[in-house]
Amino acid sequence: MLRHASAAGVGDQPAPIEVIAHSRKPVVIIGSFEELVTRFATIAHLNREFILRPCKPEDLLLRAYRVLRFVERAEAAIRSSGRNGGRRVVVADDDPTTIAMISAILKHLHYECEIAHDGEEAVYFARKNRPDLMLLDVSMPHMNGFEALTALRGGMATRATPIILVSAHRDEAEVVKGFSLGADDYVTKPFNSGELIARISRVLRDPEEI
């Protein structure tokens, strides 16, 4: 399904974007950056992709193919595994948009999500609640992702906690630094839901499944 984010309703019919908000069908939404920000709660879902106007036909086809494939694989993974329920994930990021997107993905996977807004808070939550997974943004106030990762790997209770670093920088040196400090994976923004699901699934995979 293809929809324009700015399309209006007709007569008594609601606008397409409002219909999308209550639907689980795969959708590619076309719109402006401003519409992406204002409609983020609707767009940030496993079954949806957003593409900025103007867009090329080949880009649109790629997004449509990608959302269909990601939904198919993710739903299969959820059906085949009953272990997701009860797993706790700490998401540490000071960007509300990123928090909203990751939280929506984790909710779809039936994970419990705890939000930290800086590195110090993330370390505190990890030591207190012993999460099954942590997603740490690299650029955070008080204690950045690298510092938080170092603190977590240095503690007996958290040294084995699976940790994925999230960064807006595609700097090879930063990626290498993250892995050298003990990160289990490194994701760069912007990422799509399918990519994040695949990385989370890989990091949390049981040893006997590898």
Side-chain angles (χ1 to χ4, degrees):
M1 181 186 297
L2 303 177
R3 285 290 184 264
H4 286 276
S6 58
V10 178
D12 295 331
Q13 298 298 315
I17 196 73
E18 303 302 332
V19 175
I20 289 171
H22 298 90
S23 172
R24 294 180 60 85
K25 292 182 179 180
V27 180
V28 177
I29 303 168
I30 305 169
S32 66
F33 179 77
E34 290 74 19
E35 289 164 340
L36 169 62
V37 174
T38 57
R39 299 287 189 174
F40 190 81
T42 298
I43 296 165
H45 190 279
L46 174 68
N47 295 7
R48 295 159 198 161
E49 282 277 359
F50 189 92
I51 187 168
L52 294 176
R53 292 194 302 258
C55 58
K56 298 178 180 179
E58 56 268 30
D59 291 337
L60 188 57
L61 287 173
L62 177 61
R63 293 297 181 98
Y65 171 79
R66 196 160 61 183
V67 72
L68 288 171
R69 291 295 295 157
F70 287 153
V71 169
E72 178 184 316
R73 291 171 181 171
E75 294 290 354
I78 292 170
R79 286 194 300 270
S80 65
S81 175
R83 295 186 294 273
N84 288 351
R87 275 183 164 171
R88 184 182 295 111
V89 181
V90 171
V91 178
D93 203 304
D94 60 333
D95 175 38
T97 300
T98 301
I99 289 174
M101 180 176 183
I102 294 178
S103 298
I105 294 170
L106 293 173
K107 182 179 179 181
H108 187 88
L109 294 175
H110 309 297
Y111 292 121
E112 296 178 12
C113 189
E114 191 166 23
I115 305 300
H117 297 92
D118 57 59
E120 288 183 357
E121 196 172 33
V123 172
Y124 171 77
F125 286 157
R127 289 171 176 169
K128 179 183 177 182
N129 299 325
R130 305 287 293 274
D132 298 288
L133 172 69
M134 298 191 71
L135 294 165
L136 298 179
D137 183 43
V138 170
S139 300
M140 291 187 291
H142 305 306
M143 180 186 285
N144 66 36
F146 293 134
E147 294 167 339
L149 174 60
T150 300
L152 293 166
R153 288 294 180 249
M156 287 294 296
T158 56
R159 63 173 48 181
T161 302
I163 297 173
I164 298 176
L165 289 177
V166 182
S167 176
H169 305 291
R170 297 177 180 271
D171 187 332
E172 184 177 346
E174 280 203 353
V175 177
V176 172
K177 180 178 180 179
F179 281 116
S180 68
L181 292 175
D184 293 279
D185 209 338
Y186 193 108
V187 181
T188 55
K189 304 176 187 177
F191 53 81
N192 57 60
S193 56
E195 177 187 6
L196 187 63
I197 289 170
R199 290 178 182 274
I200 289 173
S201 298
R202 187 190 67 80
V203 169
L204 291 180
R205 190 178 301 161
D206 292 334
E208 60 267 24
E209 295 179 351
I210 299 176

